[in-house]
Amino acid sequence: MERIPEPELMVKKEQVISYDEADFSEGEVNLINQINHYLLKKNISLSEKDLIVDLGCGPGNISEKLAIKWPDAEVVGIDGSKEMILRAEHNKEISPNQKKLKNLRYILSDIKDIKLNNFLLKKKITLLVSNSLIHHIINLDDFFNVIRSLSNNMTINFHKDLKRPLNEKSALELKAKCSHKYNEILTSDYYASLRASYTLKELKDYILKNDLSSLEVFEDGDKYLIVYGNV
Ligand SMILES: C[S@@+](CC[C@H](N)C(=O)[O-])C[C@H]1O[C@@H](n2cnc3c(N)ncnc32)[C@H](O)[C@@H]1O
């Protein structure tokens, strides 16, 4: 199936509300466990010296879980959509875990325009994370240039995203399954995201051609891809 890009930023209010109100917690907990597994494997424990950055943080679901899991590290969520950042700030304020989120801040910025001189990014980034971001990025160069510029040789990158289905029929089947669980707006966003996603081969080819071989790309189950390692 050909890739059909979708708009990068999620700016429409109804789209943001639908995304924010949906329960993705199972996948989010899974992602935190996966990151934890890789950190343990590398014998890395995060302390107050460490900075975790969540690119394309949306309403902050993953950022909050990162902040709670690694309370000594600082966590910064970045999103280019003002609506999303407003939601993320609001969610932090009303969270029953509010006291555990003192180490979490948000920045409103397109990832392509992140200013490294922002005071929240003064520390070197130990862990650079994204979930469901890569498929939004129209041009893969933009994504990889950003993670290259934010990483040093110690930064662990962990980026998880949807995998593009093999054909339209599979995409429509996934869309139908989604419609049983989520509303119409979220279902049509999910379908657009599936069509905008990259394939394992596209990401692997990009990494090979662009001297990024210390990054691994692999499938996670039949629906997701993970980009992991150093740049
Ligand atoms: C599908 S949501 C994922 C949100 C969050 N990571 C999560 O897993 O719940 C994708 C988010 O990436 C943001 N985004 C897309 N392109 C971006 C860009 N170029 N710069 C900053 N944020 C971007 C969108 O605005 C949206 O909030």
Side-chain angles (χ1 to χ4, degrees), residues 128-214:
L128 188 55
V129 174
S130 71
N131 185 49
S132 270
L133 169 71
I134 306 177
H135 71 267
H136 280 278
I137 306 300
I138 295 183
N139 189 338
L140 269 186
D141 281 335
D142 287 332
F143 175 74
F144 284 101
N145 287 342
V146 167
I147 66 166
R148 237 200 261 255
S149 74
L150 292 177
S151 298
N152 57 66
N153 53 3
M154 301 299 283
T155 307
I156 307 282
N157 275 270
F158 187 95
H159 306 282
K160 183 164 177 173
D161 204 354
L162 294 167
K163 180 178 89 166
R164 194 159 82 241
L166 282 177
N167 48 46
E168 185 68 23
K169 184 171 169 273
S170 316
L172 286 168
E173 280 166 10
L174 288 169
K175 182 185 179 193
K177 271 192 200 153
C178 176
S179 69
H180 297 308
K181 213 168 157 197
Y182 299 115
N183 72 17
E184 220 174 290
I185 299 172
L186 201 59
T187 302
S188 75
D189 273 358
Y190 175 64
Y191 180 58
S193 295
L194 287 172
R195 302 202 299 174
S197 300
Y198 292 93
T199 62
L200 180 68
K201 185 174 182 323
E202 283 163 352
L203 292 183
K204 277 197 160 174
D205 285 352
Y206 186 93
I207 278 167
L208 265 179
K209 273 190 206 133
N210 291 278
D211 202 18
L212 286 160
S213 55
S214 45

Coordinates of all heavy atoms in Angstrom, one line a residue, residues 128-214:
L128 N 15.6 9.6 24.8 CA 14.8 10.3 23.8 C 13.7 9.4 23.3 O 14.0 8.4 22.7 CB 15.7 10.8 22.7 CG 15.1 11.8 21.6 CD1 14.4 13.0 22.3 CD2 16.1 12.2 20.6
V129 N 12.4 9.8 23.6 CA 11.3 8.8 23.3 C 10.3 9.5 22.4 O 10.1 10.7 22.4 CB 10.6 8.6 24.7 CG1 9.4 7.8 24.6 CG2 11.5 7.9 25.7
S130 N 9.6 8.6 21.6 CA 8.4 9.1 21.0 C 7.5 7.9 20.8 O 7.9 6.8 20.7 CB 8.7 9.8 19.6 OG 9.0 8.8 18.6
N131 N 6.2 8.3 20.8 CA 5.2 7.2 20.5 C 4.2 7.8 19.5 O 3.6 8.9 19.7 CB 4.4 6.8 21.8 CG 3.5 5.7 21.6 OD1 3.8 4.7 21.0 ND2 2.3 5.8 22.0
S132 N 4.0 7.0 18.5 CA 3.0 7.5 17.4 C 3.3 8.8 16.8 O 2.4 9.6 16.5 CB 1.6 7.5 18.0 OG 1.0 6.3 17.9
L133 N 4.6 9.1 16.7 CA 5.0 10.4 16.1 C 5.5 10.2 14.7 O 5.1 11.0 13.8 CB 6.1 11.1 17.0 CG 6.7 12.3 16.3 CD1 5.8 13.5 16.2 CD2 8.0 12.7 17.0
I134 N 6.3 9.2 14.4 CA 7.0 9.1 13.2 C 6.1 9.2 12.0 O 6.4 9.9 11.0 CB 7.9 7.9 13.1 CG1 8.8 7.8 14.3 CG2 8.7 7.9 11.8 CD1 9.7 6.5 14.3
H135 N 4.9 8.6 12.1 CA 4.0 8.5 10.9 C 3.5 9.9 10.6 O 3.1 10.2 9.4 CB 2.9 7.5 11.1 CG 1.9 8.0 12.1 ND1 1.9 7.6 13.4 CD2 0.7 8.7 12.0 CE1 0.9 8.1 14.0 NE2 0.1 8.8 13.2
H136 N 3.5 10.9 11.6 CA 3.0 12.2 11.3 C 4.1 13.0 10.5 O 3.7 14.0 9.9 CB 2.8 13.0 12.6 CG 1.5 12.6 13.2 ND1 0.3 13.2 12.9 CD2 1.2 11.8 14.2 CE1 -0.7 12.7 13.6 NE2 -0.2 11.9 14.5
I137 N 5.3 12.6 10.6 CA 6.4 13.4 10.0 C 6.4 13.1 8.5 O 6.7 12.0 8.0 CB 7.7 13.1 10.7 CG1 7.6 13.3 12.2 CG2 8.8 14.0 10.1 CD1 7.2 14.7 12.7
I138 N 6.2 14.2 7.7 CA 6.0 14.0 6.2 C 7.3 13.5 5.6 O 7.3 12.6 4.8 CB 5.5 15.3 5.6 CG1 4.1 15.6 6.2 CG2 5.5 15.3 4.1 CD1 3.4 16.7 5.7
N139 N 8.4 14.0 6.1 CA 9.7 13.7 5.4 C 10.6 13.0 6.5 O 10.9 13.7 7.5 CB 10.3 15.0 5.0 CG 11.5 14.8 4.1 OD1 12.1 13.8 4.2 ND2 11.8 15.8 3.3
L140 N 11.0 11.8 6.2 CA 11.8 11.1 7.2 C 13.1 11.8 7.6 O 13.6 11.7 8.8 CB 12.2 9.7 6.7 CG 11.3 8.5 7.0 CD1 11.9 7.2 6.5 CD2 10.9 8.5 8.5
D141 N 13.7 12.6 6.7 CA 14.9 13.4 7.0 C 14.6 14.2 8.2 O 15.5 14.4 9.1 CB 15.2 14.3 5.9 CG 16.0 13.6 4.7 OD1 16.6 12.6 5.0 OD2 15.9 14.1 3.6
D142 N 13.4 14.8 8.3 CA 13.1 15.7 9.4 C 13.2 15.0 10.7 O 13.8 15.5 11.7 CB 11.7 16.4 9.2 CG 11.7 17.4 8.1 OD1 12.8 18.0 7.9 OD2 10.7 17.6 7.5
F143 N 12.6 13.8 10.8 CA 12.6 13.1 12.0 C 14.0 12.7 12.5 O 14.4 13.0 13.6 CB 11.7 11.8 11.9 CG 11.8 11.0 13.2 CD1 11.1 11.4 14.3 CD2 12.5 9.8 13.2 CE1 11.2 10.6 15.5 CE2 12.6 9.0 14.4 CZ 12.0 9.5 15.5
F144 N 14.8 12.1 11.5 CA 16.1 11.6 11.9 C 17.1 12.8 12.1 O 17.9 12.7 13.0 CB 16.6 10.6 10.9 CG 15.9 9.3 11.0 CD1 14.9 8.9 10.2 CD2 16.3 8.4 12.0 CE1 14.3 7.7 10.3 CE2 15.7 7.2 12.2 CZ 14.7 6.8 11.4
N145 N 16.9 13.9 11.4 CA 17.8 15.1 11.7 C 17.5 15.6 13.1 O 18.4 16.0 13.8 CB 17.5 16.2 10.7 CG 18.1 15.9 9.4 OD1 19.0 15.0 9.3 ND2 17.7 16.6 8.3
V146 N 16.3 15.6 13.5 CA 15.9 16.1 14.9 C 16.5 15.2 15.9 O 17.2 15.6 16.9 CB 14.4 16.2 15.1 CG1 14.1 16.4 16.5 CG2 13.8 17.3 14.3
I147 N 16.4 13.8 15.8 CA 16.9 13.0 16.8 C 18.4 13.0 16.8 O 19.1 12.9 17.9 CB 16.3 11.5 16.9 CG1 16.7 10.7 15.6 CG2 14.8 11.6 17.0 CD1 16.4 9.2 15.8
R148 N 19.0 13.2 15.7 CA 20.5 13.3 15.6 C 20.9 14.6 16.4 O 21.9 14.5 17.1 CB 20.9 13.4 14.1 CG 21.9 12.4 13.7 CD 22.6 12.8 12.5 NE 22.1 12.3 11.3 CZ 22.7 11.3 10.6 NH1 23.8 10.8 11.0 NH2 22.2 10.9 9.4
S149 N 20.2 15.7 16.1 CA 20.7 16.9 16.7 C 20.4 16.9 18.3 O 21.1 17.6 19.0 CB 20.0 18.1 16.1 OG 18.7 18.2 16.5
L150 N 19.4 16.2 18.7 CA 19.1 16.2 20.2 C 20.0 15.1 20.9 O 20.1 15.2 22.2 CB 17.6 15.9 20.4 CG 16.7 17.0 20.0 CD1 15.2 16.5 20.2 CD2 16.9 18.3 20.7
S151 N 20.5 14.2 20.2 CA 21.2 13.1 20.9 C 22.7 13.3 21.0 O 23.3 14.0 20.1 CB 21.0 11.8 20.1 OG 19.7 11.4 20.0
N152 N 23.3 12.8 22.1 CA 24.8 12.7 22.1 C 25.1 11.2 22.0 O 24.1 10.4 21.9 CB 25.3 13.3 23.4 CG 24.7 12.7 24.6 OD1 25.0 11.6 24.9 ND2 23.9 13.5 25.3
N153 N 26.3 10.8 22.1 CA 26.6 9.4 21.9 C 26.1 8.5 23.0 O 26.1 7.2 22.9 CB 28.1 9.1 21.6 CG 29.0 9.7 22.6 OD1 28.5 10.3 23.6 ND2 30.3 9.6 22.5
M154 N 25.6 9.1 24.1 CA 25.1 8.2 25.2 C 23.6 8.2 25.2 O 23.0 7.4 25.9 CB 25.5 8.9 26.6 CG 27.0 9.0 26.8 SD 27.8 7.4 26.8 CE 27.3 6.8 28.4
T155 N 22.9 9.0 24.4 CA 21.5 9.1 24.4 C 20.8 7.8 23.9 O 21.2 7.4 22.8 CB 21.0 10.3 23.6 OG1 21.6 11.5 24.0 CG2 19.5 10.5 23.6
I156 N 19.9 7.3 24.7 CA 19.2 6.1 24.2 C 17.9 6.6 23.5 O 17.2 7.4 24.1 CB 18.7 5.2 25.4 CG1 19.8 4.8 26.4 CG2 17.9 4.0 24.9 CD1 20.7 3.7 25.9
N157 N 17.8 6.2 22.3 CA 16.6 6.5 21.5 C 15.6 5.4 21.6 O 16.0 4.2 21.4 CB 16.9 6.8 20.1 CG 17.4 8.2 19.9 OD1 16.6 9.1 19.6 ND2 18.7 8.5 20.1
F158 N 14.3 5.7 21.8 CA 13.3 4.6 21.8 C 12.0 5.3 21.1 O 11.4 6.1 21.7 CB 12.9 4.1 23.2 CG 12.0 2.9 23.1 CD1 12.5 1.6 23.2 CD2 10.6 3.1 23.1 CE1 11.6 0.6 23.1 CE2 9.7 2.1 23.0 CZ 10.2 0.8 23.1
H159 N 11.7 4.9 19.9 CA 10.6 5.5 19.2 C 9.7 4.3 18.7 O 10.2 3.4 18.0 CB 11.1 6.3 18.0 CG 12.2 7.3 18.4 ND1 11.8 8.5 19.1 CD2 13.5 7.3 18.4 CE1 12.9 9.2 19.4 NE2 14.0 8.5 19.0
K160 N 8.5 4.4 19.1 CA 7.5 3.4 18.7 C 6.4 4.0 17.8 O 6.0 5.1 18.0 CB 6.9 2.8 20.0 CG 6.0 1.6 19.7 CD 5.8 0.8 21.0 CE 4.8 -0.3 20.8 NZ 4.6 -1.1 22.0
D161 N 6.0 3.2 16.8 CA 5.0 3.8 15.9 C 4.2 2.6 15.2 O 4.6 1.5 15.3 CB 5.6 4.7 14.9 CG 4.6 5.7 14.3 OD1 3.4 5.6 14.7 OD2 5.0 6.6 13.5
L162 N 3.2 3.0 14.6 CA 2.4 2.1 13.8 C 3.2 1.6 12.6 O 4.0 2.3 12.1 CB 1.1 2.8 13.3 CG 0.1 3.2 14.3 CD1 -0.9 4.2 13.7 CD2 -0.6 2.0 14.9
K163 N 2.9 0.4 12.2 CA 3.5 -0.1 10.9 C 2.4 0.0 9.8 O 1.2 -0.4 10.1 CB 3.9 -1.6 11.2 CG 4.5 -2.3 10.0 CD 4.9 -3.7 10.4 CE 3.8 -4.6 10.2 NZ 4.2 -6.0 10.2
R164 N 2.8 0.4 8.6 CA 1.8 0.5 7.6 C 1.3 -0.9 7.2 O 2.1 -1.8 6.9 CB 2.4 1.2 6.4 CG 1.3 1.6 5.4 CD 1.8 2.8 4.5 NE 2.6 2.3 3.4 CZ 3.8 2.6 3.1 NH1 4.5 3.4 3.9 NH2 4.5 2.2 2.1
P165 N 0.0 -1.1 7.1 CA -0.5 -2.4 6.7 C -0.1 -2.8 5.3 O 0.2 -1.9 4.5 CB -2.0 -2.3 6.8 CG -2.3 -1.1 7.6 CD -1.1 -0.2 7.4
L166 N -0.1 -4.1 4.9 CA 0.4 -4.5 3.6 C -0.5 -4.0 2.5 O -0.1 -3.6 1.4 CB 0.4 -6.0 3.6 CG 1.6 -6.7 4.3 CD1 1.4 -8.2 4.2 CD2 2.9 -6.2 3.7
N167 N -1.8 -4.0 2.8 CA -2.7 -3.5 1.7 C -4.0 -2.8 2.3 O -4.2 -2.8 3.5 CB -3.2 -4.7 0.9 CG -3.6 -5.9 1.7 OD1 -4.4 -5.7 2.7 ND2 -3.2 -7.1 1.5
E168 N -4.7 -2.3 1.4 CA -5.9 -1.5 1.8 C -6.9 -2.4 2.6 O -7.5 -1.9 3.6 CB -6.6 -1.0 0.5 CG -7.8 -0.1 0.7 CD -7.4 1.3 1.3 OE1 -6.2 1.7 1.2 OE2 -8.3 1.9 1.9
K169 N -7.0 -3.7 2.2 CA -8.0 -4.6 2.9 C -7.6 -4.7 4.4 O -8.4 -4.6 5.3 CB -7.9 -5.9 2.2 CG -8.9 -6.9 2.7 CD -9.0 -8.2 1.8 CE -9.8 -9.3 2.5 NZ -9.0 -10.1 3.4
S170 N -6.3 -4.9 4.6 CA -5.9 -5.0 6.1 C -6.1 -3.7 6.8 O -6.5 -3.7 8.0 CB -4.4 -5.3 6.2 OG -4.0 -6.3 5.3
A171 N -5.9 -2.6 6.1 CA -6.1 -1.3 6.8 C -7.5 -1.1 7.1 O -7.9 -0.6 8.2 CB -5.6 -0.1 5.9
L172 N -8.4 -1.5 6.2 CA -9.8 -1.4 6.5 C -10.3 -2.3 7.6 O -11.2 -1.9 8.4 CB -10.6 -1.6 5.2 CG -10.6 -0.5 4.2 CD1 -11.1 -0.9 2.8 CD2 -11.3 0.8 4.7
E173 N -9.7 -3.5 7.7 CA -10.0 -4.4 8.8 C -9.6 -3.8 10.1 O -10.4 -3.9 11.1 CB -9.3 -5.8 8.6 CG -10.0 -6.6 7.6 CD -9.2 -7.8 7.1 OE1 -8.1 -8.1 7.7 OE2 -9.6 -8.5 6.1
L174 N -8.4 -3.2 10.2 CA -8.0 -2.6 11.4 C -8.9 -1.4 11.8 O -9.2 -1.2 13.0 CB -6.5 -2.1 11.3 CG -5.5 -3.3 11.3 CD1 -4.1 -2.7 10.9 CD2 -5.4 -3.9 12.6
K175 N -9.3 -0.7 10.8 CA -10.2 0.5 11.0 C -11.5 0.0 11.6 O -12.0 0.6 12.6 CB -10.4 1.2 9.7 CG -11.3 2.4 9.8 CD -11.6 3.0 8.4 CE -12.5 4.2 8.5 NZ -13.1 4.6 7.3
A176 N -12.1 -1.1 11.0 CA -13.3 -1.6 11.5 C -13.2 -2.1 13.0 O -14.1 -1.8 13.8 CB -13.8 -2.8 10.6
K177 N -12.1 -2.7 13.3 CA -11.9 -3.1 14.7 C -11.8 -1.9 15.6 O -12.4 -1.9 16.7 CB -10.5 -3.9 14.8 CG -10.7 -5.4 14.6 CD -9.4 -6.0 15.0 CE -9.3 -7.4 14.4 NZ -7.9 -7.9 14.2
C178 N -11.2 -0.9 15.1 CA -11.0 0.4 16.0 C -12.4 1.0 16.2 O -12.6 1.5 17.3 CB -10.1 1.3 15.2 SG -9.9 2.9 16.0
S179 N -13.3 0.9 15.2 CA -14.6 1.6 15.3 C -15.4 0.9 16.4 O -16.4 1.5 16.9 CB -15.3 1.5 14.0 OG -15.7 0.2 13.7
H180 N -15.1 -0.3 16.8 CA -15.9 -1.0 17.9 C -15.5 -0.3 19.3 O -16.3 -0.4 20.2 CB -15.6 -2.5 18.0 CG -16.0 -3.2 16.8 ND1 -17.3 -3.1 16.3 CD2 -15.4 -4.1 16.0 CE1 -17.4 -3.8 15.2 NE2 -16.2 -4.4 15.0
K181 N -14.3 0.2 19.3 CA -13.8 0.7 20.6 C -13.8 2.2 20.7 O -14.0 2.8 21.8 CB -12.4 0.2 20.7 CG -11.9 -0.1 22.1 CD -10.6 -0.9 22.0 CE -9.9 -0.8 23.3 NZ -8.5 -1.1 23.2
Y182 N -13.6 2.9 19.6 CA -13.4 4.3 19.7 C -14.4 5.1 18.8 O -15.0 4.5 17.9 CB -12.0 4.7 19.2 CG -10.9 4.1 20.1 CD1 -10.0 3.1 19.6 CD2 -10.8 4.4 21.4 CE1 -9.0 2.6 20.4 CE2 -9.8 3.9 22.2 CZ -9.0 2.9 21.7 OH -8.0 2.4 22.5
N183 N -14.6 6.4 19.0 CA -15.6 7.2 18.3 C -15.1 7.4 16.8 O -14.0 7.0 16.4 CB -15.9 8.5 19.0 CG -14.8 9.5 18.9 OD1 -13.9 9.4 18.1 ND2 -14.8 10.5 19.8
E184 N -16.0 8.0 16.0 CA -15.8 8.2 14.6 C -14.6 9.0 14.2 O -13.8 8.7 13.3 CB -17.1 8.9 14.0 CG -17.5 8.3 12.7 CD -18.8 9.0 12.3 OE1 -19.8 8.7 12.9 OE2 -18.8 9.8 11.3
I185 N -14.4 10.1 15.0 CA -13.2 11.0 14.7 C -11.9 10.2 15.0 O -11.0 10.2 14.1 CB -13.3 12.2 15.7 CG1 -14.6 13.0 15.4 CG2 -12.1 13.1 15.5 CD1 -14.8 14.2 16.4
L186 N -11.8 9.5 16.1 CA -10.6 8.8 16.4 C -10.4 7.6 15.4 O -9.3 7.4 14.9 CB -10.7 8.2 17.8 CG -9.4 7.9 18.4 CD1 -8.5 9.1 18.5 CD2 -9.6 7.3 19.9
T187 N -11.5 7.0 15.0 CA -11.4 5.9 14.0 C -10.9 6.4 12.7 O -10.0 5.8 12.1 CB -12.8 5.2 13.8 OG1 -13.2 4.7 15.1 CG2 -12.7 4.1 12.8
S188 N -11.4 7.6 12.2 CA -10.9 8.1 10.9 C -9.5 8.6 11.0 O -8.7 8.5 10.1 CB -11.9 9.0 10.3 OG -11.8 10.3 10.9
D189 N -9.1 9.1 12.2 CA -7.7 9.5 12.4 C -6.8 8.3 12.4 O -5.7 8.4 11.9 CB -7.6 10.3 13.8 CG -7.8 11.7 13.7 OD1 -8.1 12.2 12.6 OD2 -7.8 12.4 14.7
Y190 N -7.3 7.2 13.0 CA -6.5 6.0 13.1 C -6.2 5.5 11.7 O -5.1 5.1 11.3 CB -7.2 5.0 14.0 CG -6.5 3.6 14.0 CD1 -5.3 3.4 14.6 CD2 -7.2 2.5 13.5 CE1 -4.7 2.2 14.6 CE2 -6.6 1.2 13.6 CZ -5.4 1.1 14.1 OH -4.8 -0.2 14.2
Y191 N -7.3 5.5 10.9 CA -7.1 5.0 9.5 C -6.2 5.9 8.7 O -5.3 5.4 8.0 CB -8.5 5.0 8.8 CG -8.6 4.6 7.4 CD1 -8.2 3.3 7.1 CD2 -9.1 5.4 6.4 CE1 -8.2 2.9 5.8 CE2 -9.2 5.0 5.1 CZ -8.7 3.7 4.8 OH -8.8 3.3 3.5
A192 N -6.3 7.2 8.9 CA -5.3 8.1 8.2 C -3.9 7.8 8.7 O -2.9 7.9 7.9 CB -5.7 9.6 8.5
S193 N -3.8 7.5 10.0 CA -2.4 7.2 10.5 C -1.9 6.0 10.0 O -0.7 5.9 9.7 CB -2.5 7.1 12.1 OG -2.9 8.3 12.6
L194 N -2.7 4.9 9.8 CA -2.2 3.7 9.3 C -1.7 3.9 7.9 O -0.6 3.4 7.5 CB -3.4 2.7 9.2 CG -3.8 2.0 10.5 CD1 -5.1 1.2 10.2 CD2 -2.7 1.1 11.1
R195 N -2.4 4.7 7.1 CA -2.0 5.0 5.7 C -0.7 5.8 5.6 O 0.0 5.8 4.7 CB -3.1 5.6 4.9 CG -4.4 4.7 4.9 CD -5.3 4.9 3.8 NE -5.8 6.2 3.8 CZ -6.6 6.7 2.8 NH1 -6.9 5.9 1.8 NH2 -7.1 7.9 2.8
A196 N -0.5 6.6 6.7 CA 0.6 7.5 6.7 C 1.9 6.9 7.3 O 3.0 7.4 7.2 CB 0.3 8.8 7.5
S197 N 1.7 5.7 7.9 CA 2.8 5.0 8.6 C 3.9 4.5 7.6 O 3.6 4.4 6.4 CB 2.3 3.8 9.4 OG 1.3 4.2 10.3
Y198 N 5.0 4.3 8.2 CA 6.1 3.8 7.3 C 6.2 2.3 7.5 O 5.5 1.7 8.4 CB 7.5 4.4 7.8 CG 7.5 5.9 7.5 CD1 7.1 6.8 8.5 CD2 8.0 6.3 6.3 CE1 7.2 8.2 8.2 CE2 8.0 7.7 6.0 CZ 7.6 8.6 7.0 OH 7.7 10.0 6.7
T199 N 6.9 1.6 6.6 CA 7.1 0.2 6.7 C 8.5 -0.1 7.3 O 9.3 0.8 7.3 CB 7.0 -0.5 5.3 OG1 8.1 0.1 4.5 CG2 5.7 -0.2 4.5
L200 N 8.6 -1.4 7.7 CA 9.9 -1.8 8.3 C 11.0 -1.5 7.2 O 12.1 -1.0 7.6 CB 9.8 -3.3 8.6 CG 11.1 -3.9 9.2 CD1 11.3 -3.3 10.6 CD2 11.0 -5.4 9.3
K201 N 10.7 -1.8 6.0 CA 11.7 -1.7 4.9 C 12.1 -0.2 4.7 O 13.3 0.1 4.6 CB 11.2 -2.3 3.6 CG 12.2 -2.3 2.5 CD 11.8 -3.1 1.3 CE 12.8 -3.1 0.2 NZ 13.6 -2.0 0.0
E202 N 11.1 0.6 4.7 CA 11.4 2.1 4.5 C 12.4 2.6 5.6 O 13.3 3.3 5.3 CB 10.1 2.9 4.5 CG 9.4 2.8 3.2 CD 7.9 3.2 3.2 OE1 7.4 3.5 4.4 OE2 7.3 3.3 2.2
L203 N 12.1 2.2 6.9 CA 12.9 2.7 8.0 C 14.3 2.1 7.9 O 15.3 2.7 8.1 CB 12.2 2.5 9.3 CG 10.9 3.3 9.6 CD1 10.4 3.0 11.0 CD2 11.2 4.8 9.4
K204 N 14.3 0.8 7.6 CA 15.6 0.1 7.6 C 16.5 0.7 6.4 O 17.7 0.9 6.6 CB 15.4 -1.4 7.3 CG 15.1 -2.2 8.6 CD 15.3 -3.6 8.4 CE 15.5 -4.3 9.8 NZ 15.6 -5.7 9.8
D205 N 15.9 0.9 5.3 CA 16.6 1.4 4.1 C 17.2 2.8 4.5 O 18.3 3.2 4.2 CB 15.7 1.6 2.9 CG 15.5 0.2 2.3 OD1 16.1 -0.8 2.7 OD2 14.6 0.1 1.4
Y206 N 16.3 3.6 5.2 CA 16.7 5.0 5.5 C 18.0 4.9 6.4 O 19.0 5.6 6.2 CB 15.6 5.7 6.2 CG 16.0 7.2 6.5 CD1 15.6 8.2 5.5 CD2 16.7 7.5 7.6 CE1 16.0 9.5 5.7 CE2 17.1 8.9 7.7 CZ 16.8 9.8 6.8 OH 17.2 11.1 7.0
I207 N 17.9 4.0 7.4 CA 19.0 3.9 8.4 C 20.3 3.5 7.7 O 21.4 4.0 8.0 CB 18.5 3.0 9.5 CG1 17.7 3.8 10.5 CG2 19.7 2.3 10.2 CD1 16.9 3.0 11.5
L208 N 20.2 2.5 6.8 CA 21.3 2.0 6.1 C 22.0 3.1 5.2 O 23.2 3.3 5.2 CB 20.9 0.9 5.2 CG 21.1 -0.5 5.7 CD1 20.6 -1.5 4.7 CD2 22.5 -0.8 6.1
K209 N 21.1 3.8 4.5 CA 21.6 4.9 3.6 C 22.2 6.1 4.3 O 22.9 6.9 3.7 CB 20.4 5.4 2.7 CG 20.3 4.5 1.5 CD 19.3 5.2 0.5 CE 18.6 4.1 -0.4 NZ 17.2 4.2 -0.4
N210 N 21.8 6.3 5.5 CA 22.1 7.6 6.2 C 23.1 7.4 7.4 O 23.1 8.2 8.3 CB 20.9 8.3 6.6 CG 20.1 8.8 5.4 OD1 20.5 9.9 4.9 ND2 19.1 8.1 5.0
D211 N 23.8 6.3 7.3 CA 24.9 6.1 8.3 C 24.3 6.1 9.8 O 24.9 6.8 10.6 CB 25.9 7.2 8.1 CG 27.3 6.8 8.7 OD1 27.4 5.6 8.9 OD2 28.1 7.7 8.9
L212 N 23.2 5.4 10.0 CA 22.6 5.4 11.3 C 22.6 4.0 11.8 O 21.6 3.6 12.5 CB 21.2 6.0 11.2 CG 21.1 7.5 11.0 CD1 19.7 7.9 10.5 CD2 21.3 8.2 12.3
S213 N 23.6 3.2 11.5 CA 23.5 1.8 11.8 C 23.6 1.4 13.2 O 23.4 0.3 13.6 CB 24.6 1.1 11.0 OG 25.9 1.6 11.4
S214 N 23.8 2.4 14.1 CA 23.7 2.0 15.6 C 22.3 2.1 16.0 O 22.0 1.9 17.2 CB 24.7 2.8 16.4 OG 24.6 4.2 16.1

